[in-house]
Amino acid sequence: MSRPMVLVFLLVILIITSQFEWKQQLVSDLESNPGISLKQQKILKKEEAVKEKIILSQEKAIQRLNELVQSLREQLLLCRSSNTTIPEIGGSPSTEVVEFEQQEQLLEESLTV
């Protein structure tokens, strides 16, 4: 065989044998320290509990926001109904009302997405 082929072959053998040694070291380390895995399991359980608490608090916050949005919509409907009973002075809505309605439409579109 040519010299480069022999070098490649030796390199492949070296890589394979070194991987076997690493695996044996890892297995022996795990067998000698079973307490580490128990500690890791406890840590993982605590992390999961914290994640669940965070999710629950976020769900509560979302629920409160939804209730606030519903309340604001009801107030807006009340304001609109009271505004329709008052005769308009200029005959056309002011620019502030138009801007408010545009903002409301954007808010409704963002909530439906």
Side-chain angles (χ1 to χ4, degrees):
M1 291 196 323
S2 66
R3 190 175 209 168
M5 291 296 289
V6 171
L7 289 174
V8 168
F9 180 72
L10 288 174
L11 182 64
V12 168
I13 290 176
L14 179 66
I15 291 171
I16 292 173
T17 56
S18 66
Q19 286 182 351
F20 285 128
E21 291 174 9
W22 291 338
K23 288 180 183 177
Q24 289 174 355
Q25 288 175 353
L26 289 175
V27 169
S28 64
D29 288 343
L30 288 176
E31 289 174 353
S32 65
N33 282 329
I36 293 174
S37 63
L38 292 175
K39 289 179 184 177
Q40 289 175 344
Q41 288 176 358
K42 288 181 182 179
I43 291 171
L44 289 175
K45 287 181 182 179
K46 288 180 181 179
E47 287 177 355
E48 288 295 321
V50 169
K51 287 178 184 178
E52 288 178 13
K53 288 180 182 178
I54 291 172
I55 290 172
L56 288 174
S57 67
Q58 288 176 342
E59 287 177 351
K60 288 179 183 178
I62 290 171
Q63 182 63 32
R64 275 188 259 131
L65 288 173
N66 284 336
E67 291 171 0
L68 287 173
V69 167
Q70 184 63 31
S71 171
L72 289 173
R73 283 184 178 170
E74 291 172 1
Q75 291 177 11
L76 180 64
L77 288 174
L78 289 174
C79 289
R80 280 186 177 171
S81 65
S82 67
N83 283 342
T84 56
T85 58
I86 300 173
E88 294 182 12
I89 296 172
S92 66
S94 68
T95 56
E96 294 174 346
V97 173
V98 172
E99 289 176 5
F100 179 76
E101 289 177 352
Q102 289 173 348
Q103 289 176 353
E104 180 191 5
Q105 288 174 351
L106 289 173
L107 176 66
E108 289 177 359
E109 290 174 3
S110 67
L111 289 176
T112 57
V113 174

